């Protein structure tokens, strides 16, 4: 229930007085309520819970997280090189 | 961002190659045993599915929190749901997980087999649509969940009111995470030394509620996502703090969570709900730990609309779900696990919920 599914907003309209988006989940489209995202725009990615969009996904932050972790990978490689060196 | 970028992100956050160096860093950082609780049952399932518990160094013990809405819904309310769903004039709508949850005597599934109209809906707004299409029926939605499902559940009532529907109501069992953290940390038996806070709860609520908890109990709290890479990163940040003796609130899920959360979503909650005391199944009453409908929306409250009266509840005598959800025990410590209790024949809710710890251990075959 709390897991949520990420999807792309491909259309925005009003239905029964609610702000609704058409969401593309990798080829499958479904409607979701965008009442909590008054500023979301077509083309943005969002996380859907129980037919309701909760937040827009920040690409910048996702990149930032991946690059911080990438530094760890490099550190790891260097460390294992050093270990190999010491052993040799 | 384009579609390829999203696919790439998702893959990267799931990649075993990416998880490994983070695990190695945890191994290098840790010097002594620590017990960390992931709050959310969705996180528990990810941890088991990707075997993260087995990759971590033995010093790190993960215990599984109460963040499974199906598991903590009180037995009394499930029995009420069963009574309401049995009525011939009712269409009872629920999230799918709830159908196999044992009440005192039966479950929603058996009510459906006996001819009751029990429908699984994807969203409470689907239940509102059903109410509009079936003016001669009472449509009742079982509004369970944490902060994540509170906005859609609240909005369904506001929407039904705006549409002038008098045949829609909700049976509310809403719970909130921070009071549960207080209850766990305040217990004399507490074992939890650090928390992974539930990322999607924080998408709505932000994380301003956590610094007072972190400093009162001196526990680090790290807002954490659901993919394997998110989880190991949350664990790493938590372990670094534990080793350094700090107890700050950090955000390991910034691509979806901001400090202030989503104010528009919180406003929807506040328009429909006020906080209240709630009973958590297996755990007991936690003050101010839930939401109920505002008094002015009582026409939409199924408990008031259908006076189901006094119900004698009867809980399984062997189920230790409450102790598991507070971090005292693991599913495998339950004598019924995998024998008397299985997904086909559940004795407790955590064995059938897709966010339940017992179901995670059973599905991914954890014997220890
Ligand atoms: S294995 Fe079954 S009986 Fe035991 S704690 Fe889990 S749900 Fe309850």
């Amino acid at each position: 229930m709390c897991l949520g599914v990420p999807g792309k907003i491909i259309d925005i309209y009003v239905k029964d007085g609610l702000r609704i988006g058409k969401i593309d989940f990798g080829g499958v489209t479904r409607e979701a309520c965008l009442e909590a995202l008054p500023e979301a725009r077509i083309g943005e990615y969002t996380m859907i819970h129980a037919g309701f969009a909760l937040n827009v996904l920040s690409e910048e932050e996702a990149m930032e997280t991946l690059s911080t972790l990438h530094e760890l990978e490099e550190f790891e490689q260097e460390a294992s090189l050093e270990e190999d060196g010491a052993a040799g | 961002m384009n579609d390829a970028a999203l696919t790439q992100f998702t893959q990267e956050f799931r990649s075993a190659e990416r998880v490994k160096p983070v695990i190695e860093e945890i191994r290098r950082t840790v010097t002594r045993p620590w017990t960390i609780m992931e709050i959310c049952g969705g996180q528990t399932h990810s941890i088991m599915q990707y075997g993260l518990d087995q990759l971590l160094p033995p010093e790190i013990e993960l215990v599984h929190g109460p963040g499974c809405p199906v598991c903590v819904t009180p037995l009394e309310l499930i029995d009420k749901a069963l009574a309401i769903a049995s009525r011939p004039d009712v269409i009872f709508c629920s999230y799918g997980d709830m159908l196999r949850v044992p009440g005192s005597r039966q479950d929603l599934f058996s009510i459906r087999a006996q001819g009751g109209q029990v429908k699984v809906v994807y969203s409470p707004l689907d239940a509102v649509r059903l109410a509009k299409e079936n003016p001669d029926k009472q449509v009742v939605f079982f509004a369970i969940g944490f902060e994540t499902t509170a906005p859609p559940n609240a909005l369904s009532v506001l929407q039904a009111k705006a549409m002038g529907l008098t045949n829609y109501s909700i049976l509310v069992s809403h719970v909130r995470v921070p009071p549960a953290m207080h209850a766990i940390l305040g217990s004399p038996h507490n074992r939890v030394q650090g928390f992974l806070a539930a990322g999607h709860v924080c998408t709505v609520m932000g994380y301003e509620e956590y610094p007072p908890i972190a400093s009162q109990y001196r526990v680090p709290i790290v807002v954490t996502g659901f993919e394997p890479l998110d989880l190991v990163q949350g664990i790493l940040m938590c372990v670094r703090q534990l080793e350094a003796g700090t107890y700050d609130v950090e955000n390991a899920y910034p691509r979806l969570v901001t400090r202030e959360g989503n104010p528009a979503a919180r406003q929807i909650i506040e328009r429909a709900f006020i906080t209240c005391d709630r009973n958590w199944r297996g755990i007991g009453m936690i003050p101010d730990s839930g939401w109920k409908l505002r008094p002015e929306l009582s026409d939409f409250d199924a408990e008031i609309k259908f006076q189901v009266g006094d119900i004698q509840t009867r809980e399984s005598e062997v189920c230790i779900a409450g102790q598991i959800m507070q971090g005292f025990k693991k599913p495998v410590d339950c004598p019924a696990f995998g024998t008397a209790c299985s997904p086909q024949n559940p004795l407790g809710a955590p064995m059938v919920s897709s966010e339940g710890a017992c179901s995670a251990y059973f599905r991914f075959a954890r014997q220890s």
Side-chain angles (χ1 to χ4, degrees), chain B residues 312-359:
Chain B
Q312 291 297 318
T313 57
R314 195 176 58 204
E315 187 63 276
S316 152
E317 278 161 21
V318 286
C319 183
I320 58 161
Q323 295 183 56
I324 295 171
M325 291 188 288
Q326 294 172 87
F328 307 152
K329 292 205 166 151
K330 297 283 180 68
V332 287
D333 299 327
C334 174
F337 177 80
T339 52
C341 181
S342 66
Q344 286 72 38
N345 187 17
L347 294 180
M351 189 50 99
V352 279
S353 166
S354 63
E355 288 156 315
C358 302
S359 127

Side-chain angles (χ1 to χ4, degrees), chain A residues 26-41:
Chain A
V28 182
T29 57
R30 278 195 103 139
E31 282 188 337
C33 178
L34 297 184
E35 280 290 307
L37 293 182
E39 276 145 34
R41 292 189 308 263

Side-chain angles (χ1 to χ4, degrees), chain A residues 1-3 16 45 54 58, chain B residues 3 159 200 255-256 262 355:
Chain A
M1 203 168 299
C2 277
L3 227 42
D16 290 331
Y45 287 84
L54 285 184
S58 159
Chain B
D3 294 356
Q159 178 67 358
H200 292 153
R255 68 183 184 281
L256 273 168
N262 182 334
E355 288 156 315

Side-chain angles (χ1 to χ4, degrees), chain B residues 35-87:
Chain B
T35 303
I36 298 173
M37 175 179 272
E38 80 277 0
I39 302 267
C40 173
Q43 293 172 328
T44 310
H45 273 253
S46 261
I47 288 165
M48 297 296 146
Q49 182 180 355
Y50 294 96
L52 302 180
D53 56 324
Q54 294 167 329
L55 294 174
L56 285 169
E59 290 90 342
I60 308 295
E61 185 187 0
L62 296 176
V63 289
H64 320 304
C68 162
V70 167
C71 306
V72 300
T73 298
L75 185 57
E76 194 202 350
L77 220 60
I78 291 176
D79 286 346
K80 282 187 181 172
L82 297 171
I84 294 171
S86 310
R87 294 172 58 120

Side-chain angles (χ1 to χ4, degrees), chain A residues 1-3 8 16 18 33 36 45 47 49-50 52 54-55 58-59 61-62 65-66 69 73 75-76, chain B residues 1-3 6 9 18 21 24 28 95 122-123 148 155 159 200 203 226 229 233 254-256 262 355:
Chain A
M1 203 168 299
C2 277
L3 227 42
K8 182 187 190 177
D16 290 331
L18 294 179
C33 178
Y45 287 84
M47 191 63 89
H49 294 261
F52 198 92
L54 285 184
N55 241 348
S58 159
E59 181 181 5
E61 292 288 2
T65 302
L66 287 175
L69 296 173
E73 275 171 51
F75 176 79
E76 165 85 353
Chain B
M1 182 166 38
N2 56 33
D3 294 356
L6 182 75
F9 273 172
R18 289 235 160 205
E24 277 314 309
R28 274 193 295 271
Y95 296 123
Y122 160 71
S123 161
T148 327
L155 187 74
Q159 178 67 358
H200 292 153
T203 333
F226 295 81
L229 192 57
Q233 197 205 355
R255 68 183 184 281
L256 273 168
N262 182 334
E355 288 156 315

